[in-house]
Amino acid sequence: MNGSHNIFKSYSEMVNDVRICLLDHAKQEIRCRWSAWKEIVERVTTNVHEQLFITQAEKHSFGHISFEYEPTALEIKTMLAFIEQWNGLQVEEQPNTPQAQREYKQKALSWFRGRRATQFGNFLYPVMVANSRTFAGHMQSLLVANVIGEYRGGGSRGKCAACYLNLLIVSYISELCTSTIQLTDGAKKIYLLCPRTLETKHCKTRSVLQQYARIEDIKYYELFPQHRYEATEYFTRNRDKWLREFNSAIMNLKGIPSDLLSSANLGSFNAAGMNYPNETESELFGYAETKSDCKQNDQVPTIEYLFEKLKSSVHRQHNDTIVLPAQTLNDIIQCVLQKEHELNLKIKQLHCTLMRLQQHHEPQQSAQEKCVS
């Protein structure tokens, strides 16, 4: 009787040790996934700004991009509750040898891996998306204060702000679905979003993603997304839509002529930070040469240089349609705005000079009038 009691006590201690091991392993995974998410949010935000039709000064007005959000202690405790409540594996024979206990520990890790998709899908990924949504709202407030608030064009500032917010969020979600991580050095890469997460029933992550999907775009909205590939395809495609809608709205707000707006290629999002939808347009307009010739000292290319590039490209077209790359058009806009700013400064300087001349001339004129009188 005492012997069986000692075996049970040893087994209980082993279960406690394995539970502690599982908790440490889970905490490490959460830290690793959250660290990757922090890097993703910062990188994607920077890449989004590089593909917007805003000036370099406007991009710099956002300041240093830093995602400082962390899950709370209560949120982490909720994520780990299923391990805290774990009472061991169901086994026919209690492991009472070192070899058997090592095998038991490996089976317990397999148990954890089999359930993390559901647990992370209900408690980790929703917190990730919620925090990134808060961060996107902060960036939106900076856009309103430092960028679109300065323009008096006919476009809607509200539309610009809404497009920018949605662009950031769907870009984050797209990266959530496609990014891979390494839990330890030398370990095999795995997806940040567990592949089986969206396949589980009553998944909170699915409900969260549905909030950022357009109902009219999806046939079976209540079932969306059914798996990671469907989410990846949808949010990547919608990321491009929101990018085009924002660039269209900001150009309208800046008062860009409608004929130039209609002929502009508003671009597609490139997560690597490239500004061209394809190499053909970049090569067609010789933009790589423009960048190297005119931007070595972070200078904006002159209007004359850019239009010479545009005119030379016409001879290589096979029809009368000219597709204008997004970044080339953005450089032209920046150059025009810079020239407008320089012209306004010259006008102010000229006005000040005329005022000084007038003030200097009036005393002389009054003195001459006194002499005549």
Side-chain angles (χ1 to χ4, degrees), residues 30-38 69-71 127-128 131:
I30 292 173
R31 285 194 297 268
C32 181
R33 292 175 189 273
W34 196 273
S35 177
W37 184 238
K38 170 181 169 64
Y69 298 86
E70 297 285 345
V127 174
M128 284 182 171
N131 279 270

Side-chain angles (χ1 to χ4, degrees), residues 2-116:
N2 292 336
S4 62
H5 178 73
N6 290 336
I7 293 174
F8 178 76
K9 183 178 180 180
S10 176
Y11 176 73
S12 299
E13 291 175 348
M14 185 197 65
V15 169
N16 289 331
D17 291 342
V18 173
R19 184 187 296 112
I20 293 173
C21 178
L22 291 177
L23 286 171
D24 291 340
H25 185 85
K27 290 176 183 178
Q28 180 185 357
E29 274 212 26
I30 292 173
R31 285 194 297 268
C32 181
R33 292 175 189 273
W34 196 273
S35 177
W37 184 238
K38 170 181 169 64
E39 187 274 332
I40 286 170
V41 171
E42 294 175 351
R43 170 172 51 82
V44 169
T45 304
T46 301
N47 289 343
V48 165
H49 290 171
E50 288 301 317
Q51 296 171 81
L52 301 180
F53 284 161
I54 58 178
T55 65
Q56 289 296 326
E58 289 168 341
K59 293 174 184 177
H60 293 156
S61 68
F62 287 96
H64 178 64
I65 307 298
S66 180
F67 181 77
E68 299 297 339
Y69 298 86
E70 297 285 345
T72 65
L74 179 60
E75 289 170 339
I76 294 178
K77 184 177 180 180
T78 304
M79 297 174 197
L80 301 175
F82 76 109
I83 300 178
E84 294 280 5
Q85 299 167 1
W86 181 71
N87 292 320
L89 301 173
Q90 293 183 354
V91 293
E92 296 180 357
E93 183 178 352
Q94 296 178 356
N96 51 15
T97 65
Q99 176 64 25
Q101 291 182 357
R102 283 194 294 269
E103 293 176 355
Y104 184 91
K105 181 179 178 181
Q106 290 301 318
K107 290 179 180 178
L109 287 173
S110 298
W111 171 87
F112 165 75
R113 296 188 185 101
R115 283 158 179 76
R116 67 182 173 189

